[in-house]
Every structure is written in C-alpha cells, then in structure tokens.
Amino acid sequence: MAAHPETILILGGTGEARRLADELCRRPHTRVVTSLAGRTTEPAKLPGEVRVGGFGGSQGLSCYLREEKVALLIDATHPFAATISANAAEACASLGIPCLRLERPPWRPLPGDNWREVPDIAHAAATIPAGARALVTVGRQEIAPFLARDDIRIVARMIEAPDAPPPHHAELLLARPPFTPDDEHRLLRERQIDILVTKNAGGTATVAKLMAARGLGLPVIMVARPHKPPVPTAPDVAAILEMLER
Ligand code: NAP
C-alpha cells in the first residue's frame, strides 16, 4: 500500500511562495497546499492545491492544521503580513507542528542613498514635507493616510485600484512589478517626483525604484518591517529546501 502523503501548508501571496510550491510539488509523497488571503482578484496560477480566505485567527488556523493533518507549515507571506505570521507561529506551537519562515532579507542603504527610516505607515505619511510631490508605493491597503494629506501631491502606484476614487491631489498609477531602473528613472523624472515612499519589502522585483532614486539623489522614506515572532527562517527557496533536507 502506498504511504500516506505528507501535507505541507504554504502560507502564500508572494513570488517566493509560488516558486517554493513549484519545488515541493516535485517531491514524492508530498501534498502541497498553498493558502492565499484572497486579496488579489486574479492570482497567478499555482501548482498543487490552493485554498483561499482567512482561517479565522490562530484558533481557526489550528483547527485547519489538525483537520488537514498538516505535518509542516511554511510561512512564505510578505514581510509586512504580520498578523498571519503571528497566528501561524502560535497555532504551530500549540500543536507541536514545525513552522518555518521563508523571508527575503530587507534592503540596506548603499552609498548615495538618502533614507529616512520610519517605524510604520502613519509615520511615513506624516514625514512627507508639505508641498512635496511623492511617489507612494505602499500598496492599496495602506494608501489612505497618504491620500488624507491634501498639502502634498501624490502619485500612488499599486497593482489594483482602491475601492474609492483618489482625491484631486493624487494620481493613481496601476502597474505590476517587476520594474526596470530605466522605467523608474523615467517615472520619477516625468512626474517631477521629489520624494519616494516605500515599505522595506526587500527582494529584486521592486528594487529598481531605489536605484533610480539614488541616481537622482532623491530622499526615500523607508517603512521598517513589522516584528514577527522568531521561527527558523531562510532567505530564499534554496535555503528552505536545504533546511528540509536536514
Ligand atoms: P496580515 O495583515 O498579516 O493578515 C490579515 C489576515 O488576513 C490574517 O489574520 C488572515 O485572516 C488573513 N491572511 C493573510 N494572509 C493569509 C494567507 N496567506 N492565507 C490565508 N489567510 C491569510 O496580511 P496582509 O498584510 O493583509 O497580507 C495579506 C496577503 O497578501 C498575505 O498572504 C501576504 O503574503 C500578501 N501580501 C501582502 C503584502 C503587504 O504589504 N502586506 C504585499 C504583498 C503580498 P484570518 O485571521 O481570518 O486567518
């Protein structure tokens, strides 16, 4: 009789999660389930099984892990998705299920960078000088405090539009990464941007804006990552796979 497959739950919503699912689906006797929050209307196709929507807090996640006989959880969510990571660590600890995290390293300032690090989105919105023209790349869900600043001009770039139309002092730019340094340079010049606002997402898909800002000598308001509970963490898919081998 064939051995019962081992179920691995990936908490997804990132490119890394998709690449990890690709790799894990090639392993024998492995059932791979990727969980998505359901924020994106047309998520990219994923190998393996996919489930969509919240679990209902850490308790709901515990129930799911038990019912689906999950042997291992890999938290491959975005570095700024703090609630689901805390819930995952708590649920796994309560059931004695191993929890690993796949998290790309944060960006670090390089020579020529002019960063102002702030602890959260509220501080980022408050830090933009009056009269500035800001390119704001924090995503649809956290754009509200910036749109509330009617003393600045905003170019708000995001993948999907927010529910409400932007106010007169804001321009919406819908675009999906990756972006090239040349494109970013052109955007900053054409829109006469004098300050860039970004979360410290890390990785390569959206790093070009930092290169362009450096080249133009523009200041950057950099939102620091939120705290996540300490669990064994790997910086990329290869390192997670090595951890699994061990
Ligand atoms: P969050 O604040 O940490 O989570 C809020 C709630 O959304 C969680 O409590 C959970 O609901 C549900 N949730 C989040 N991720 C989930 C997942 N992978 N599967 C099932 N439920 C999930 O997360 P967020 O910042 O809103 O991000 C939501 C998703 O978008 C994440 O999967 C993340 O990887 C992706 N994402 C986030 C960002 C960002 O900047 N935050 C950027 C790119 C992609 P319940 O409590 O009901 O379980």
Side-chain angles (χ1 to χ4, degrees), residues 8-126:
I8 300 181
L9 175 66
I10 302 173
L11 298 179
T14 58
E16 289 91 333
R18 191 171 58 246
R19 290 192 287 280
L20 179 64
D22 256 332
E23 294 290 338
L24 292 180
C25 280
R26 295 199 195 112
R27 286 161 65 106
H29 307 301
T30 307
R31 172 186 172 227
V32 180
V33 183
T34 299
S35 174
L36 301 175
R39 306 272 195 275
T40 314
T41 41
E42 281 180 43
K45 195 150 170 34
L46 283 158
E49 292 176 40
V50 178
R51 68 160 299 285
V52 181
F55 296 95
S58 73
Q59 293 209 338
L61 178 54
S62 296
C63 290
Y64 178 89
L65 294 173
R66 247 193 334 258
E67 279 165 16
E68 295 294 322
K69 299 188 173 49
V70 172
L72 167 69
L73 181 150
I74 304 179
D75 174 9
T77 57
H78 190 271
F80 278 78
T83 307
I84 187 71
S85 292
N87 291 348
E90 190 180 320
C92 285
S94 73
L95 296 173
I97 294 172
C99 175
L100 305 180
R101 185 174 303 136
L102 168 53
E103 186 172 273
R104 55 183 105 125
W107 294 315
R108 306 268 179 220
L110 295 175
D113 278 331
N114 173 11
W115 288 12
R116 170 102 185 254
E117 273 211 79
V118 293
D120 53 36
I121 289 289
H123 280 86

Side-chain angles (χ1 to χ4, degrees), residues 69-200:
K69 299 188 173 49
V70 172
L72 167 69
L73 181 150
I74 304 179
D75 174 9
T77 57
H78 190 271
F80 278 78
T83 307
I84 187 71
S85 292
N87 291 348
E90 190 180 320
C92 285
S94 73
L95 296 173
I97 294 172
C99 175
L100 305 180
R101 185 174 303 136
L102 168 53
E103 186 172 273
R104 55 183 105 125
W107 294 315
R108 306 268 179 220
L110 295 175
D113 278 331
N114 173 11
W115 288 12
R116 170 102 185 254
E117 273 211 79
V118 293
D120 53 36
I121 289 289
H123 280 86
T127 300
I128 303 174
R133 290 183 67 93
L135 173 63
V136 182
T137 61
V138 299
R140 169 173 58 118
Q141 293 187 75
E142 293 181 290
I143 196 66
F146 299 92
L147 300 182
R149 288 274 314 262
D150 60 4
D151 58 337
I152 57 178
R153 306 286 304 173
I154 296 167
V155 177
R157 183 171 67 191
M158 56 193 71
I159 295 175
E160 287 182 23
D163 296 335
H168 68 279
H169 60 280
E171 177 193 351
L172 217 55
L173 200 59
L174 300 184
R176 189 180 286 275
F179 306 109
T180 69
D182 281 352
D183 288 344
E184 297 294 57
H185 190 274
R186 201 171 311 116
L187 171 68
L188 294 174
R189 288 290 293 274
E190 281 176 3
R191 300 297 208 287
Q192 298 175 324
I193 298 298
D194 45 35
I195 193 162
L196 167 67
V197 184
T198 178
K199 301 197 275 196
N200 196 336

